[in-house]
Amino acid sequence: MAIFSGTASVLLAIVMIRIWDRRNGMGIGIRSALAVEGQVQPMVFLFRGNMLVDATPPARALLDRIGAPDDDWLRLMRWIGPHFPEAADRLADLSRQGRIEMLGQQGHGQATLRLTVEDLGGGLWRLTLTDPGAEHAGIVVDSLSLQAMEEELHLLRGALDQTPMLVWRLDAEDRVTWANAAYLRRAESRGDGALGWPLPRLLDTPKQVPGSSTRRSALEDHGVVSWFDCHTHRTGDQVMMFALPADAAVRAERSLREFVQTLTKTFADLPIGLAIFDQKRNLQLFNPALIDLTGLPTGFLTARPTLFDFLDQLRELRMVPEPKDYRSWRQHMANLESAAATGHHVETWSLPGGQTYRVTGRPHPDGAVAFLFENITSEISLTRKFRADLMLGAHVLDGLDDALAVFAPTGQLVLCNQAYRGLWGAPPADLSAAIRTWEDATRTGPGFAALREALTLAEPPKTGGAMAGPEGQLLGWTVTNLSGGRRMLRFRPSAAQPLTSSHAIGADMLPRPLPNAIGAD
């Protein structure tokens, strides 16, 4: 019994110890700590000048992730600079102190790093990077999770390095702490020497960036100016900058601005008044000629009145035709607006002051409409004068006793007077119709044949003769060449008695003998 009791006590003690270990996690913690202690390697760099002499595997992995430039010391300082801002000043005093230790921040200030730099003599420096929070903490990282994070990091780094836009990060003191490959290539092309810490700043950044903002900046490189649209995003005390190339947009804006300036100068020199109304029928554009033609005040036009306010003001200044009543005038203006909006529309306004304006309405894109005001008073006056001169000439021709007809080179009848219409009836359409009319109305003979031959020759000389008229009277005719290939035919009734079958036709019966008289019928 004593032996059995002792054995049971030992077994019970072992079981209680294991239960206590499991509850407190000491067994697992000890095993994990031992496993980690054999696997974790420090991050140590050994430099002679700017050349890396030796480094632990984690240290070499860190340098590989940093990338260009080729100088190992500059590559490391690109990483150390943002995490230890005072590193540059402290390292300058290393030869005197022999050993320097400083604390820095990792990420956005969530973790603390320790950097220890020792001068080993002979130009050798040893740099040791440690994380005080992870020392002897037994932290175990899942290998699959670490691999996934590294793959995502590689993808994001590659995407940022391949993008054509410039991306960089600024710290609280406005220093460039990180940049993508496009930014580094642009900085190297400027010929500023090797890239170290801090990185050169290519574009100016506003001192105060409240949240996010966008502005356009210029970068001059070897005499060539490049434009960028800079987008700024602040996160904590860090500022991310994204610069998108904007050269095409700047060229387009410059071309548009020059085109608008050219149009503005052209509109300013036009003698025609121009008024453009948008789809809401508010005045958007006008030229100085509109003020000169309408007498509208500049302040009224710059206030962007509506189309009907514009027309009402013209009515007040008596610059529109006098309507019978206001309602009909408003309806007429509404019709003018709708006609101009749907297609080309032209009206002639006879103003009370004796002036005459041509008003043209044209539709524009997006529902806009443009009106052109042109003073055509002199044109109308000149047209009226020409019309009066033509009427005077027609009255003079109609007052002549001789029958006149003018034919174009193609044979078309240009004009005839009242005496011709009284002699031969309705005017013919052309020369062929006139000859048929003459043949039907009178007897043909040598005189008629000579007239037909004179009218059908290509370039006949001035000639004349006599022929029988529609009532048997003797008619003298003359064909005269005019400018432009036109021909004038003149019939002159003779004072001699009418022709009969018993009359003898002789040269003495001609009313006015011509040297080249052909004869008489």
Side-chain angles (χ1 to χ4, degrees):
M1 289 296 293
I3 295 174
F4 177 76
S5 300
T7 303
S9 300
V10 172
L11 293 174
L12 180 61
I14 294 174
V15 171
M16 294 300 294
I17 290 173
R18 289 182 176 178
I19 293 175
W20 186 84
D21 286 343
R22 289 177 181 175
R23 288 181 178 178
N24 292 274
M26 291 184 62
I28 296 176
I30 293 173
R31 286 193 297 270
S32 299
L34 293 175
V36 172
E37 185 179 359
Q39 296 176 2
V40 174
Q41 298 185 34
M43 189 175 295
V44 182
F45 304 86
L46 187 62
F47 278 92
R48 174 176 280 111
N50 288 0
M51 184 179 62
L52 181 66
V53 177
D54 196 5
T56 58
R60 293 188 180 275
L62 176 63
L63 286 179
D64 293 338
R65 289 197 298 270
I66 296 175
D70 297 333
D71 192 300
D72 296 328
W73 177 257
L74 293 179
R75 288 165 62 191
L76 181 60
M77 292 306 296
R78 279 186 54 196
W79 188 90
I80 289 178
H83 297 85
F84 301 90
E86 74 278 9
D89 297 334
R90 297 286 303 276
L91 290 176
D93 200 29
L94 179 62
S95 59
R96 186 178 62 84
Q97 296 186 11
R99 174 186 173 88
I100 294 176
E101 184 173 316
M102 64 190 79
L103 295 178
Q105 292 183 346
Q106 181 178 3
H108 298 286
Q110 303 298 325
T112 303
L113 295 176
R114 178 185 294 120
L115 173 63
T116 304
V117 185
E118 302 172 274
D119 188 356
L120 304 181
L124 287 176
W125 285 9
R126 181 169 61 190
L127 289 82
T128 305
L129 280 171
T130 57
D131 183 359
E135 292 179 357
H136 309 296
I139 298 176
V140 178
V141 179
D142 184 4
S143 61
L144 295 179
S145 300
L146 179 60
Q147 181 181 359
M149 288 187 294
E150 289 179 349
E151 291 176 353
E152 182 179 5
L153 178 62
H154 179 72
L155 175 63
L156 295 176
R157 183 182 291 114
L160 285 177
D161 287 342
Q162 294 173 7
T163 182
M165 64 179 176
L166 310 182
V167 184
W168 68 99
R169 183 180 62 188
L170 302 173
D171 60 8
E173 298 181 4
D174 207 20
R175 294 176 299 187
V176 180
T177 58
W178 176 87
N180 69 337
Y183 187 97
L184 297 178
R185 287 194 299 267
R186 195 61 181 259
E188 291 177 352
S189 66
R190 291 172 60 87
D192 295 337
L195 299 180
W197 171 258
L199 292 173
R201 187 171 58 186
L202 300 181
L203 296 170
D204 294 334
T205 307
K207 295 299 182 182
Q208 301 295 330
V209 184
S212 300
S213 61
T214 303
R215 66 183 182 89
R216 180 162 291 173
S217 300
L219 175 61
E220 184 175 358
D221 190 3
H222 300 292
V224 179
V225 178
S226 302
W227 290 91
F228 295 89
D229 287 333
C230 298
H231 300 265
T232 305
H233 300 275
R234 178 177 291 279
T235 304
D237 59 348
Q238 302 287 328
V239 177
M240 288 298 301
M241 300 290 298
F242 303 87
L244 280 69
D247 292 334
V250 170
R251 286 194 298 268
E253 292 173 358
R254 183 182 297 112
S255 299
L256 179 60
R257 184 165 54 252
E258 293 175 354
F259 178 70
V260 171
Q261 291 176 354
T262 302
L263 286 182
T264 303
K265 294 178 180 178
T266 303
F267 291 157
D269 295 335
L270 280 178
I272 301 175
L274 175 66
I276 298 180
F277 297 85
D278 60 14
Q279 58 181 354
K280 296 181 180 179
R281 298 301 177 261
N282 292 321
L283 182 63
Q284 295 295 330
L285 179 65
F286 65 94
N287 64 341
L290 182 68
I291 302 175
D292 299 335
L293 292 175
T294 62
L296 292 173
T298 306
F300 172 77
L301 296 175
T302 55
R304 295 185 178 182
T306 63
L307 174 60
F308 286 101
D309 291 339
F310 175 81
L311 295 174
D312 284 339
Q313 189 68 21
L314 287 180
R315 183 173 179 267
E316 293 293 332
L317 297 176
R318 301 188 64 186
M319 297 303 297
V320 294
E322 285 290 346
K324 294 181 180 180
D325 54 67
Y326 184 75
R327 180 178 299 177
S328 63
W329 180 82
R330 290 287 293 185
Q331 183 61 41
H332 179 74
M333 291 300 104
N335 296 338
L336 172 65
E337 185 269 337
S338 60
T342 55
H344 183 76
H345 181 72
V346 180
E347 285 189 0
T348 301
W349 289 1
S350 297
L351 304 182
Q355 296 174 317
T356 304
Y357 282 4
R358 180 187 293 122
V359 180
T360 305
R362 296 176 180 270
H364 272 230
D366 299 330
V369 62
F371 288 95
L372 290 84
F373 297 83
E374 183 179 1
N375 189 350
I376 59 172
T377 304
S378 58
E379 177 183 340
I380 293 297
S381 300
L382 186 61
T383 302
R384 290 172 180 172
K385 183 178 181 300
F386 284 159
R387 187 181 296 114
D389 293 343
L390 291 176
M391 292 180 64
L392 176 61
H395 287 308
V396 171
L397 292 177
D398 289 339
L400 296 177
D401 294 333
D402 293 348
L404 298 178
V406 178
F407 295 95
T410 58
Q412 299 294 322
L413 180 66
V414 177
L415 62 89
C416 64
N417 63 350
Q418 184 63 35
Y420 183 92
R421 291 189 293 271
L423 180 63
W424 300 107
D430 53 19
L431 180 59
S432 299
I435 293 176
R436 288 195 300 269
T437 301
W438 302 335
E439 288 178 338
D440 295 339
T442 185
R443 293 174 299 167
T444 59
F448 178 81
L451 173 61
R452 181 169 52 189
E453 182 181 359
L455 291 174
T456 54
L457 289 176
E459 294 182 359
K462 181 178 180 181
T463 184
M467 59 178 284
E471 298 179 357
Q473 75 273 32
L474 183 64
L475 293 178
W477 57 263
T478 304
V479 177
T480 305
N481 292 328
L482 302 179
S483 61
R486 292 181 289 267
R487 299 174 186 176
M488 182 180 67
L489 172 62
R490 182 177 63 181
F491 292 101
R492 172 173 295 178
S494 175
Q497 58 181 343
L499 297 177
T500 62
S501 59
S502 59
H503 285 144
I505 307 301
D508 56 347
M509 299 181 64
L510 291 176
R512 185 177 298 173
L514 298 175
N516 56 349
I518 305 291
D521 294 340

